[in-house]
Amino acid sequence: MDGDVSVDFGEDGLVPAVAQDADTGEVLMLAYVSPAALERTRETGRAHYYSRSRDELWEKGATSGHVQAVEEVRVDCDADTLLYLVDQEGGACHTGHRSCFYRTIDGETVGEQVFDPDAVYE
């Protein structure tokens, strides 16, 4: 039987985590994870991240209600990046879009806005 993989959190104590829709494969967002955020994710089954700007642990959707139920956590070959396979409730992006990757580098909107952020984050 395999044991837990030791994640390399590096000098700053954080690893990037990509959230991907478990059913469709759509990439929803990228955020950072601390050891405590990973532990809370595994304990609760809901995605937790570490906010570098606020310097705090946060649960995805705690404010908006757009939670991510984590079906599986994968770790890359170097054990320094995580992949959260999630069931996304509503939108993943604070702009109201389903995915944070809703526009091209040329500025074309290609993703769907699924909620009004002004109504959610007032």
Side-chain angles (χ1 to χ4, degrees):
M1 183 168 142
D2 295 341
D4 281 0
V5 173
S6 179
V7 176
D8 179 3
F9 286 94
E11 291 181 21
D12 63 358
L14 299 173
V15 294
V18 174
Q20 182 181 34
D21 187 291
D23 292 329
T24 68
E26 180 182 21
V27 175
L28 299 172
M29 58 179 276
L30 179 136
Y32 290 86
V33 171
S34 64
L38 179 57
E39 184 177 329
R40 291 288 296 144
T41 296
R42 294 180 78 185
E43 286 174 358
T44 65
R46 294 183 310 275
H48 287 73
Y49 300 99
Y50 187 84
S51 170
R52 297 177 301 168
S53 60
R54 294 190 313 265
D55 195 25
E56 66 183 15
L57 180 75
W58 60 282
E59 178 183 347
K60 176 67 179 158
T63 301
S64 67
H66 298 162
V67 297
Q68 292 175 341
V70 179
E71 294 189 13
E72 186 173 59
V73 177
R74 294 187 185 175
V75 61
D76 78 335
C77 56
D78 295 323
D80 63 0
T81 303
L82 300 176
L83 177 65
Y84 284 2
L85 297 174
V86 304
D87 177 16
Q88 174 71 53
E89 182 70 34
C93 186
H94 74 281
T95 66
H97 290 83
R98 170 103 179 125
S99 167
C100 292
F101 300 96
Y102 64 89
R103 58 191 172 176
T104 69
I105 194 73
D106 296 322
E108 179 186 357
T109 299
V110 293
E112 176 186 13
Q113 190 169 35
V114 294
F115 71 92
D116 178 1
D118 293 334
V120 172
Y121 301 113
E122 31 181 351

